[in-house]
Amino acid sequence: MNRVTTETPRFLRACRSQPVDRTPIWIMRQAGRYLPEYREIRKSHTLLEICRAPELACEVALQPLRRFDLDAAILFSDLLVPVAALGVDFDIVEKSGPVVGRPVRDREAVGSLKLSPDLRELECVFETVRLLRKAISVPLIGFAGAPFTVGSYLIEGGPSRDFRQTRLLMLREPEVFCDLMERLADLMIAYVSGQAAAGIQAVQIFDSWVGVLSPADYRRHVLRPTRRIFQAIAKLGIPSIHFGTGTAALLDHMAEAGGDVLGVDWRIPLGQVRARFPERAVQGNLDPQALFAPGEVLDRMIDEVLAEAAGAPGHIFNLGHGILPESPIENVTFMVEAVHSRTVRMD
Ligand code: CP3
């Protein structure tokens, strides 16, 4: 009797902390440069071209599923794509990331953002979701950036190490910063709602760089707009994953903002996350560098993550952050097989 295929997929069950037959696994940035077939498409298209062409974006999202026995697909797009709906002009620069032509770091710039997002700019993303749903049998994860992380790109104008301009705006002009956060929350609510209408079955909110904030500043400046997004998602009826890096000191506040699943990086043991939030599922958290380690080290590190999760319901295996461009493909295959074969449960 094949119970598994007729039941809710194990990824969605794990999001709800329900028992699963094996631990589900997907990989942040699973579609990307470590795959030669992705690099082949990138020879003739920029990243933004791919994001805005539903057939190409769909093809790229399917590539990792053909190679590995993954338990979910993720929409292929980029963090900044939705800000086009506010009228922000940006580009994505190779090996560095999003760059915003005119940084949004004063009252005037924030005030000139479109108040109601132009959703026609995002129709290409919704179409990618529809195409993907037709093409795959595993659940499709949609995503959006959290206000802080997306706002940091708008304020800095590009990638940053210390997020100086972002924190300066927050401290010097808190009401302008707040206005930007609330507008981004409104945008992301519309964006995720559109993805849900098009068919996503779960959503990850990336607050990748929030770990730069103190708990007090998170509470004062970021918690409320972030919580609004999770409250809106809860009404959509799909599970949500709340992800950030370097968040050990922030997790209580991030959990308060929301998320059925807390996604963490390798700097906090999963056992600690479970002990602090027994009612939430957890996602993570193998160090992406482990894929470059000698076989026996990778093997041991996978076991350590599984042991921390302790076989209890509500663990989604993932890396602690995106897979790195040169990651050896045979080690990815090994990781996916190891996670499935070491977590078989008969009940
Ligand atoms: O996970 C997936 O497979 C879906 C695709 C995806 C991309 N970006 C494609 C992409 C997702 C979920 C993102 C989100 C994203 N984009 C985040 C949050 C996730 C995280 O890693 O924390 C962030 C911070 C960005 C901004 C961004 N875009 C950066 C920092 C970079 C990397 C610059 C580089 O070259 O290393 C990008 C570019 C980007 N987005 C690539 C991909 C596959 C790089 C490959 C390319 O240039 O083709």
Side-chain angles (χ1 to χ4, degrees):
M1 190 173 70
N2 193 347
R3 287 189 311 151
V4 182
T5 52
T6 55
E7 284 178 355
T8 306
R10 55 173 86 101
F11 166 78
L12 292 175
R13 291 183 60 84
C15 287
R16 305 281 193 202
S17 296
Q18 295 164 346
V20 286
D21 60 339
R22 287 150 202 235
T23 296
I25 173 170
W26 70 281
I27 305 166
M28 284 185 272
R29 298 276 181 98
Q30 62 191 24
R33 280 169 299 182
Y34 72 109
L35 293 175
E37 57 272 34
Y38 175 82
R39 295 196 298 271
E40 194 54 39
I41 292 189
R42 281 283 276 112
K43 280 184 190 159
S44 44
H45 301 279
T46 66
L47 178 60
L48 274 181
E49 276 169 12
I50 301 174
C51 293
R52 288 175 175 151
E55 257 142 44
L56 282 176
C58 178
E59 163 59 25
V60 164
L62 294 176
Q63 288 175 342
L65 302 184
R66 297 192 187 112
R67 279 186 185 263
F68 316 113
D69 185 18
L70 295 163
D71 292 294
I74 179 158
L75 165 69
F76 191 85
S77 185
D78 198 50
L79 206 65
L80 276 242
V81 167
V83 303
L86 301 181
V88 176
D89 189 30
F90 69 96
D91 199 1
I92 298 178
V93 175
E94 200 142 359
K95 296 200 171 60
S96 130
V99 173
V100 176
R102 292 176 45 232
V104 183
R105 47 171 94 134
D106 53 33
R107 187 181 301 274
E108 200 204 329
V110 173
S112 70
L113 300 176
K114 287 196 178 116
L115 255 187
S116 53
D118 182 356
L119 292 180
R120 283 168 309 180
E121 290 282 351
L122 308 180
E123 190 42 47
C124 53
V125 177
F126 306 148
E127 179 60 13
T128 304
V129 170
R130 288 188 284 267
L131 290 180
L132 271 168
R133 276 304 300 278
K134 283 187 216 140
I136 59 177
S137 53
V138 291
L140 176 61
I141 307 169
F143 77 90
F148 178 78
T149 290
V150 174
S152 74
Y153 281 103
L154 299 188
I155 296 165
E156 301 292 330
S160 168
R161 278 188 162 266
D162 54 8
F163 299 92
R164 179 155 191 271
Q165 299 297 340
T166 308
R167 291 192 288 160
L168 275 181
L169 183 67
M170 193 173 81
L171 300 177
R172 285 180 179 163
E173 296 192 81
E175 44 333 303
V176 176
F177 184 84
C178 173
D179 188 14
L180 177 60
M181 293 296 105
E182 296 295 344
R183 285 168 187 246
L184 288 171
D186 289 339
L187 169 65
M188 297 314 169
I189 289 168
Y191 186 45
V192 172
S193 303
Q195 291 181 37
I200 60 164
Q201 291 148 293
V203 64
Q204 176 152 320
I205 301 299
F206 283 95
D207 211 348
S208 306
W209 312 134
V210 74
V212 74
L213 290 180
S214 72
D217 281 334
Y218 183 89
R219 284 204 80 78
R220 201 173 290 126
H221 302 285
V222 175
L223 175 62
R224 194 180 56 179
T226 309
R227 184 168 49 204
R228 276 211 298 124
I229 297 176
F230 285 100
Q231 284 168 342
I233 295 170
K235 294 193 192 115
L236 298 171
I238 55 174
S240 56
I241 306 168
H242 193 173
F243 170 78
T245 69
T247 56
L250 293 179
L251 268 186
D252 291 324
H253 312 292
M254 291 177 71
E256 190 178 327
D260 301 292
V261 186
L262 299 176
V264 293
D265 74 8
W266 58 95
R267 289 174 279 189
I268 179 166
L270 286 187
Q272 277 185 31
V273 184
R274 280 198 174 287
R276 278 164 68 182
F277 309 97
E279 78 293 359
R280 310 282 173 120
V282 293
Q283 176 175 280
N285 65 347
L286 185 71
D287 184 344
Q289 299 286 2
L291 291 170
F292 298 84
E296 66 279 11
V297 177
L298 171 60
D299 198 29
R300 188 191 70 217
M301 290 171 83
I302 293 169
D303 274 343
E304 283 168 358
V305 171
L306 293 174
E308 283 286 337
H315 176 218
I316 298 158
F317 196 102
N318 205 318
L319 300 178
H321 203 175
I323 188 168
L324 296 161
E326 322 277 305
S327 301
I329 288 176
E330 62 278 13
N331 288 353
V332 179
T333 307
F334 175 82
M335 171 178 72
V336 174
E337 283 175 2
V339 169
H340 282 158
S341 65
R342 291 173 194 183
T343 57
V344 178
R345 280 182 279 279
M346 298 303 181
D347 50 357

